[in-house]
Amino acid sequence: MIRKVYGWLTGPEDPEMSDRVDNAGHEDYLSAGGGGGGDDDRDELDSPFKTLSLDSDEFAYNMKHPKRGKFVIINNRTFNPETGMNERSGSDVDAASLYQIFLRFGFDVGLYHNQTKDQMLRLMISAAGENHSDSDCFGAAVLSHGDADVLYGTDGIIAIDNFIAPIKSCRTLVGKPKLFIFQACRGNEFDNGIFQSDAVGEDKPKGLVIPMEADVLYAYSTVPGYFSWRNSSKGSWFVQALTQILSRPETERMDFVRVLTRVSHAVAHQFESNASRPEMNRKKQVPSVVSMLTKDLYLGPKK
């Protein structure tokens, strides 16, 4: 019976039960007897939503630890010939811009050039092995070639899931924001655009278990399947927009997800390719932000 109730997770045994769970959600699970019913149901535990205003500081990450945290930048500009990947001209500009902006925010920034796939993973394993108890958060940025769900080291590909896994498992980063910024292609499709006409506390109760995926944010330069644009002298569209917007003083008072929405607007509306090859000319791009953050994140300079 439990397998049927959870059919949408484990593969349905009973299509009728699967449809009923999908359509009715958690209440059908309870009515089917899941969780035992009665006063002990976990969904009846007291929630801060019942007692706190939704704009309370309790729903903002604690950014008052002694340290802001570690930020790792991996800048892969050149690649081994066997990968078939071209040099990423302009990537050094992106790396320098990111270094300066996150240094300004108080991060301990490490910049690493032309890393193999194993070196990239070792950087994450090393960072995960450190004690982050005195830090507000963790961040990493990868500037490289990429494809669907993978990034390129100088000698080949590494799955994004494998790359980030050590950080997600780091016990001293539990409940703290973990930011990943990826400037890389996610496929070979071009966005032709479409005409738009005018229209009318950090403290947790003892024993609390939170999802491993919680408090993680991924900021991708483009959406799945699409090309990511980069100017050989100015750097990538995404990093240009990100660093220029983060350098504005008003962003210190803005939640980071809201800031990234402004970045998406800038990339989508202010950039367009200008290429000699017709099939690559006048193309567009929009970033993709995947947020599992559970609180608001404010990244002003560390005081």
Side-chain angles (χ1 to χ4, degrees):
M1 180 62 181
I2 293 296
R3 180 172 171 80
K4 291 181 181 179
V5 171
Y6 277 90
W8 55 285
L9 285 177
T10 62
E13 282 186 354
D14 183 340
E16 181 178 350
M17 174 63 77
S18 176
D19 288 342
R20 187 160 64 89
V21 172
D22 287 343
N23 292 334
H26 186 57
E27 290 185 4
D28 254 12
Y29 161 64
L30 292 177
S31 66
D39 293 335
D40 292 331
D41 289 339
R42 301 263 319 162
D43 68 337
E44 292 299 321
L45 291 175
D46 288 338
S47 165
F49 289 100
K50 296 179 179 178
T51 57
L52 292 175
S53 169
L54 293 182
D55 62 359
S56 166
D57 289 343
E58 292 292 325
F59 293 110
Y61 286 107
N62 177 12
M63 305 301 282
K64 297 180 180 179
H65 293 88
K67 302 175 183 177
R68 175 51 49 91
K70 191 178 187 71
F71 199 100
V72 176
I73 301 173
I74 297 173
N75 175 36
N76 290 343
R77 181 171 58 86
T78 59
F79 300 83
N80 295 355
E82 58 267 25
T83 65
M85 294 292 106
N86 296 325
E87 179 176 348
R88 299 182 60 257
S89 301
S91 190
D92 291 347
V93 178
D94 284 347
S97 298
L98 288 171
Y99 183 91
Q100 290 299 326
I101 201 70
F102 285 103
L103 193 67
R104 174 186 162 221
F105 288 146
F107 283 94
D108 175 16
V109 184
L111 176 56
Y112 304 88
H113 297 282
N114 298 323
Q115 300 289 291
T116 66
K117 58 182 185 291
D118 287 342
Q119 288 173 329
M120 292 170 66
L121 181 57
R122 283 200 292 269
L123 283 171
M124 293 298 99
I125 293 172
S126 175
E130 298 179 15
N131 188 340
H132 301 271
S133 299
D134 289 338
S135 298
D136 296 333
C137 57
F138 172 85
V142 179
L143 316 172
S144 188
H145 287 299
D147 208 329
D149 303 320
V150 299
L151 300 165
Y152 270 85
T154 57
D155 61 342
I157 60 173
I158 180 172
I160 291 177
D161 283 347
N162 293 341
F163 175 74
I164 64 181
I167 298 301
K168 292 196 298 184
S169 302
C170 178
R171 297 188 66 83
T172 55
L173 284 171
V174 172
K176 297 181 179 182
K178 295 164 279 288
L179 312 177
F180 292 94
I181 296 170
F182 300 117
Q183 168 52 49
C185 289
R186 302 179 74 186
N188 297 313
E189 294 292 325
F190 293 120
D191 188 335
N192 295 318
I194 187 169
F195 180 72
Q196 177 183 354
S197 60
D198 293 335
V200 211
E202 290 297 308
D203 293 333
K204 304 290 189 302
K206 185 177 180 180
L208 178 68
V209 178
I210 63 174
M212 182 177 289
E213 297 288 345
D215 306 299
V216 180
L217 180 143
Y218 309 111
Y220 296 93
S221 61
T222 190
V223 295
Y226 279 83
F227 194 82
S228 185
W229 290 92
R230 172 174 32 84
N231 183 284
S232 60
S233 60
K234 297 180 180 179
S236 64
W237 296 358
F238 175 58
V239 174
Q240 283 185 64
L242 176 65
T243 54
Q244 288 174 17
I245 288 174
L246 282 175
S247 67
R248 295 178 57 161
E250 60 264 39
T251 60
E252 298 175 13
R253 303 181 299 277
M254 293 172 62
D255 170 51
F256 192 60
V257 174
R258 190 177 172 209
V259 172
L260 291 175
T261 302
R262 301 295 184 272
V263 173
S264 293
H265 183 277
V267 174
H269 289 265
Q270 297 179 20
F271 290 87
E272 184 176 90
S273 66
N274 181 16
S276 56
R277 293 167 54 182
E279 70 273 18
M280 300 182 73
N281 193 37
R282 303 195 68 180
K283 303 304 179 184
K284 302 293 291 183
Q285 179 181 325
V286 66
S288 172
V289 178
V290 182
S291 175
M292 282 74 71
L293 297 183
T294 60
K295 297 182 179 181
D296 295 333
L297 172 61
Y298 297 92
L299 277 183
K302 189 69 175 173
K303 297 178 181 179

